[in-house]
Amino acid sequence: MSSQSIEPAELARQYGTPLYVYDVDRVRAARRDLFGALPEGFEVFYAFKANPHVDLVRALRDGEGPACKAEISSTGELAAALEAGYVGSDILYTGPGKTQEELREAVGTGVRTFSAESLSDLRHIGEAAVAHGTVVDCLLRINSATASASTSIRMTGAPTQFGIDSETVADTAAELLEVPGTSVAGLHLFSQSNARDEEALIGELTHTIEVAAAIQEDLGVPLRLLDIGGGFSVPYAQHGERAQYPKLRSELEASLDLHFPQWREGTPRLAVESGRYLAGDSGTLVAQVSNVKISRGKKFVIIDAGINTFGGMSGLGRLLPVSVHVDAEGETEKASLVGPLCTPGDVLGRQIDLPVLAPGDLVRIPNAGAYGPTSSLLMFLGRPAPVEIAVGNGEVVSVSRIEHVRTYRHQEPGDE
């Protein structure tokens, strides 16, 4: 039996709306597809920022086939990874603003691989390692001066908080290699998100391999681990299918044979990272129409899911417009799909094609498994978070809701 036999509308009637439904069988399928598209031996790091739901994350490491590792950038994501069964050796800790407190917690729980965004970040990582009496592996994140493909979100080629400028590595190599508590294990390059097509993805990743080979020369030491980033694509809040990459394996193999001829023997180990591709098509957001109104000739369909539920990434151009599905097919009309919040910014689609809807109707937003609740304005206006249901093999795996509780710290007179 497939989890597709569980109708989101039935779950909405039972648990209310707004409601996320995550199909963990689709998560496992995405994992199989991604590993199948890559050369043999590649590692895959799952970016927890896409969706840290524990049952979804657990599906990426359990079961048959290669398991994903974890790419995290906070102690909250660290806690989710540990709850899902990951251990420190499975985890890559990233991010430009790591604090001493979180670094010491990460090292203390067994994390031994970090991405360093700068020489000063590398030194902070080293200080935390020394405090625990250990040495950790570090990947130098590189901000390449050049790129191959265009994309909606570029991560290199400009002044940024991310990565060490590639043109400075040769001059700082000695300092980078001598930070106490650290061992420079390799490089981390992440140049794009959501590549427009396979050609763009291949162009960027092969360019990344070329850049990595040049940086290896600048450092003067062999790389043990090379993370070439991602860019694997899936529609976001739109109808459509996850991208397939039939040419990727052979193209990456050819590039690696040229620039890292010993890669097939494991020098260096190779890795990619992905969030949206692994989680995106697993999720459906179910919402209910609460009102329909006309304002100066324009129709507005108001639903109970807004940018507090789904849409925190809209400022990055990743949301508008959404597409919706209803059980009853029929004519469509132009209308704006908006949420319930008291702000004109609560818009999920402006004058888009929608079915003719009425109060009480349920709508489903597809491909909503990535960048959902935890990347939205959950606390804005104090509305409750959506229910999240994980389903798999025709059964409900879990039902949960994120709760925000204010805690007060008692302060005695005279305390500072």
Side-chain angles (χ1 to χ4, degrees):
M1 179 184 296
S2 168
S3 54
Q4 293 300 313
S5 62
I6 301 179
E7 285 297 323
E10 178 57 37
L11 293 173
R13 282 188 283 271
Q14 184 174 357
Y15 295 102
T17 58
L19 168 73
Y20 278 89
V21 182
Y22 305 125
D23 184 344
V24 297
D25 294 331
R26 296 189 69 85
V27 174
R28 294 189 180 100
R31 165 182 148 190
R32 288 193 299 269
D33 284 352
L34 185 52
F35 273 107
L38 295 167
E40 192 74 24
F42 258 73
E43 300 173 13
V44 174
F45 286 91
Y46 173 64
F48 270 53
K49 64 183 178 184
N51 190 336
H53 191 287
V54 170
D55 290 303
L56 185 151
V57 173
R58 191 176 285 124
L60 291 169
R61 64 174 297 275
D62 292 342
E64 298 179 358
C68 291
K69 295 187 175 183
E71 187 261 298
I72 64 171
S73 57
S74 71
T75 52
E77 290 181 343
L78 173 60
L82 296 175
E83 185 179 353
Y86 288 84
V87 296
S89 59
D90 297 328
I91 297 172
L92 170 63
Y93 204 112
T94 70
K98 310 176 195 73
T99 67
Q100 277 301 302
E101 291 77 11
E102 65 183 289
L103 285 170
R104 291 192 182 193
E105 181 174 342
V107 175
T109 55
V111 178
R112 290 296 180 268
T113 308
F114 293 82
S115 175
E117 307 274 359
S118 62
L119 176 57
S120 55
D121 187 34
L122 184 65
R123 287 170 173 161
H124 295 158
I125 296 167
E127 289 167 7
V130 169
H132 280 278
T134 191
V135 175
V136 300
D137 284 338
C138 288
L139 305 183
L140 304 180
R141 180 160 178 173
I142 301 300
N143 176 17
S144 175
T146 59
S148 172
S150 62
T151 181
S152 59
I153 300 179
R154 288 226 57 82
M155 305 292 286
T156 57
T160 175
Q161 70 267 43
F162 297 108
I164 300 167
D165 294 342
S166 58
E167 64 272 22
T168 69
V169 173
D171 291 338
T172 58
E175 290 180 280
L176 292 167
L177 295 172
E178 294 174 358
V179 175
T182 71
S183 173
V184 174
L187 303 177
H188 176 199
L189 297 96
F190 191 97
S191 59
Q192 67 172 337
S193 178
N194 207 31
R196 66 178 184 272
D197 53 32
E198 186 177 30
E199 181 181 358
L201 178 70
I202 290 171
E204 196 68 39
L205 293 181
T206 55
H207 177 73
T208 291
I209 292 168
E210 181 181 354
V211 170
I215 297 295
Q216 179 176 244
E217 290 295 319
D218 289 340
L219 283 172
V221 296
L223 306 181
R224 289 183 278 127
L225 174 60
L226 172 59
D227 180 346
I228 62 174
F232 310 101
S233 178
V234 67
Y236 183 52
Q238 294 279 331
H239 286 89
E241 300 298 321
R242 223 174 351 94
Q244 299 297 316
Y245 300 110
K247 301 177 183 178
L248 180 62
R249 176 185 287 229
S250 61
E251 294 287 347
L252 288 181
E253 287 176 341
S255 180
L256 289 165
D257 285 340
L258 177 62
H259 296 290
F260 292 95
Q262 293 183 298
W263 75 273
R264 295 177 190 270
E265 287 75 51
T267 306
R269 291 162 41 215
L270 281 306
V272 296
E273 57 193 79
S274 176
R276 70 167 72 231
Y277 188 85
L278 293 167
D281 77 346
S282 71
T284 300
L285 171 59
V286 186
Q288 186 174 61
V289 177
S290 56
N291 195 18
V292 178
K293 62 165 289 188
I294 305 290
S295 176
R296 297 195 170 104
K298 303 289 186 181
K299 179 171 281 190
F300 292 81
V301 177
I302 304 166
I303 61 175
D304 57 5
I307 57 175
N308 61 316
T309 300
F310 186 67
M313 307 301 280
S314 60
L316 299 178
R318 297 164 93 170
L319 183 57
L320 290 170
V322 301
S323 61
V324 303
H325 177 77
V326 295
D327 291 326
E329 301 295 339
E331 62 178 303
T332 63
E333 62 181 357
K334 292 289 185 182
S336 292
L337 188 70
V338 302
L341 306 182
C342 294
T343 170
D346 193 16
V347 180
L348 300 183
R350 187 171 286 109
Q351 292 301 299
I352 59 176
D353 290 321
L354 290 175
V356 178
L357 296 167
D361 286 344
L362 294 177
V363 301
R364 285 176 279 163
I365 297 176
N367 290 316
Y371 300 110
T374 54
S375 64
S376 300
L377 304 178
L378 273 180
M379 295 187 69
F380 189 48
L381 293 181
R383 299 182 72 91
V387 174
E388 296 175 89
I389 299 181
V391 300
N393 196 29
E395 298 179 349
V396 172
V397 176
S398 68
V399 180
S400 63
R401 188 201 300 270
I402 297 171
E403 299 286 353
H404 293 285
V405 179
R406 187 185 301 276
T407 58
Y408 291 89
R409 182 175 300 173
H410 181 67
Q411 185 168 329
E412 296 292 341
D415 288 348
E416 296 184 358

